[in-house]
Amino acid sequence: MRDLLVVEDLQQVFKGRKPIYAVDGVSFRLPEEPTILNLVGESGSGKSTIARIILALLRPTAGHVLYKGVDIFTRDRKWKRQFRAEAQAVFQDPYSVYNPVYKVERVLKLVIRKFGLASSAAEARQRMEESLRAVDLRPQEVMGRYPHQLSGGQRQRLMLARVYLMRPRLIIADEPVSMIDAGMRASFLNILLDFRDTYGISTLFITHDLSNAMYLGGEIIVLYQGRIMERGETQGVTKAPLHPYAQLLMSSVPVPDPSRRWEEDVTGLALAEGGPSTSSQRQRCLFAERCPQSMDVCWQARPILRIPDGADMAARHVACYLYQEEQKRG
């Protein structure tokens, strides 16, 4: 079966006095079957850059992005128009995407008009109301209002209503719940799950908040300085991470136990901090200088993302020499 999305050896280098490697050899696939894939990591790990490349908003320095087997940067305008209809974005700021001088339903009207989704004003109104109900919004409480009159959660769900109108194959959600209150986050995430299960829409969910990824489930990719450190099923990676960086990252999630101090669970996390690398010596593990378990080989060659040796983890991949027996013996 053909994959829906394939990212092959993606690299993004921003040139300057010192080149910045925002994305460095990232590869992954989204299957044709509806799924959720979480991209997690700190600020500067390359998450949003990958999203912009997949949306064709940024051309990569190297590598390919294939949608249904076709390189998205080699097609004509007609194909790209269809691609943009099938791959929809939901961004972080639930206010900046709206023009404050227009009423909020304008974002729905523009989609209906541009893609010819209704043949009359009455049908357009019906479709807008249907899309609002699909994301747990009451049309009478939303339509006719201006952006500032809605909460952040309502504005983000209105973006999902726009997505519902389009019925895309893929949603690229870049930190979509980071600016809305905790009470509305579960509602937003439940809608993404419903889109997957009911309408067959896959989501690439980008977040620095591991609790959101754990709620959504699916698969997870842990990024550090533009590279994949670990990949696998979300439940397995979050509960029993293998890579030392992933272990530190997972330990940063607060435990809902008032008898335990959060500070005690994140000892050493400060060692993991760091933005995109400008180091000229990149044929090594970029986490080596911060890793409490680093070995000589970590400084000599870049670890390959692979299934751990001696482990029954066919769905787990990790880029670490700790799980490559021949390297540990050497």
Side-chain angles (χ1 to χ4, degrees):
M1 183 181 293
R2 182 176 62 183
D3 291 307
L4 179 66
L5 180 74
V6 177
V7 173
E8 292 182 340
D9 201 22
L10 207 62
Q11 185 178 75
Q12 183 63 56
V13 182
F14 295 109
K15 296 182 179 180
R17 189 170 60 89
K18 290 184 177 181
I20 297 176
Y21 293 80
V23 183
D24 188 9
V26 168
S27 299
F28 61 85
R29 297 169 181 264
L30 276 176
E32 185 76 17
E33 179 183 357
T35 188
I36 290 178
L37 176 61
N38 301 284
L39 282 184
V40 304
E42 304 164 82
S43 298
S45 61
K47 306 185 302 295
S48 294
T49 301
I50 292 172
R52 291 175 62 200
I53 293 173
I54 292 174
L55 290 166
L57 301 176
L58 177 67
R59 184 177 288 271
T61 305
H64 303 279
V65 177
L66 307 180
Y67 180 75
K68 295 181 178 179
V70 177
D71 191 320
I72 66 173
F73 293 101
T74 63
R75 308 304 292 178
D76 58 22
R77 183 176 298 179
K78 181 179 179 181
W79 187 93
K80 289 181 178 179
R81 175 185 171 89
Q82 182 61 32
F83 169 69
R84 291 193 172 97
E86 294 187 20
Q88 289 284 301
V90 180
F91 294 111
Q92 178 179 15
D93 191 337
Y95 187 81
S96 63
V97 294
Y98 297 93
N99 188 325
V101 304
Y102 292 107
K103 295 177 180 178
V104 293
E105 63 263 29
R106 181 173 182 266
V107 299
L108 304 179
K109 291 179 179 179
L110 288 175
V111 169
I112 292 173
R113 185 185 311 130
K114 183 174 182 179
F115 292 95
L117 301 179
S119 57
S120 66
E123 184 182 357
R125 175 83 181 193
Q126 180 181 357
R127 295 207 60 173
M128 285 191 291
E129 291 181 355
E130 177 189 350
S131 69
L132 291 171
R133 293 190 186 98
V135 297
D136 298 327
L137 288 174
R138 298 177 181 177
Q140 65 273 21
E141 295 180 357
V142 174
M143 298 178 71
R145 296 195 174 190
Y146 291 93
H148 72 274
Q149 295 176 308
L150 300 182
S151 69
Q154 288 176 315
R155 289 192 291 264
Q156 283 296 62
R157 280 184 289 160
L158 190 61
M159 287 295 98
L160 289 181
R162 175 182 58 82
V163 169
Y164 176 88
L165 280 174
M166 297 296 298
R167 302 291 173 84
R169 291 300 313 280
L170 175 64
I171 297 174
I172 311 295
D174 188 3
E175 300 278 9
V177 297
S178 63
M179 296 181 66
I180 61 179
D181 62 83
M184 292 307 305
R185 289 178 189 175
S187 175
F188 185 96
L189 299 177
N190 283 335
I191 292 170
L192 293 181
L193 292 171
D194 184 57
F195 278 8
R196 179 197 62 188
D197 299 336
T198 305
Y199 306 109
I201 301 174
S202 294
T203 297
L204 181 65
F205 189 83
I206 296 167
T207 183
H208 68 277
D209 189 334
L210 291 164
S211 62
N212 295 326
M214 294 163 68
Y215 189 92
L216 287 172
E219 285 194 285
I220 190 170
I221 289 176
V222 179
L223 292 169
Y224 178 72
Q225 292 198 17
R227 292 183 182 177
I228 297 178
M229 299 289 104
E230 189 168 344
R231 176 177 181 172
E233 293 184 354
T234 299
Q235 184 177 9
V237 173
T238 54
K239 287 188 175 181
L242 299 178
H243 196 284
Y245 171 68
Q247 292 170 0
L248 288 174
L249 193 64
M250 302 311 162
S251 70
S252 70
V253 180
V255 177
D257 184 351
S259 66
R260 296 178 60 185
R261 295 182 60 193
W262 184 25
E263 291 82 357
E264 295 171 352
D265 296 328
V266 293
T267 302
L269 184 62
L271 297 175
E273 295 177 353
S277 176
T278 60
S279 172
S280 59
Q281 175 52 32
R282 301 188 60 79
Q283 291 309 309
R284 62 180 181 88
C285 175
L286 298 179
F287 190 62
E289 63 265 45
R290 300 180 173 93
C291 180
Q293 303 181 69
S294 64
M295 303 173 287
D296 289 344
V297 67
C298 301
W299 298 89
Q300 299 166 2
R302 175 175 177 169
I304 299 172
L305 188 69
R306 53 181 283 183
I307 298 173
D309 289 340
D312 184 18
M313 296 183 178
R316 183 79 69 92
H317 291 74
V318 60
C320 183
Y321 289 120
L322 289 172
Y323 306 97
Q324 299 178 23
E325 293 297 332
E326 68 274 15
Q327 297 294 345
K328 287 196 289 184
R329 288 193 299 267

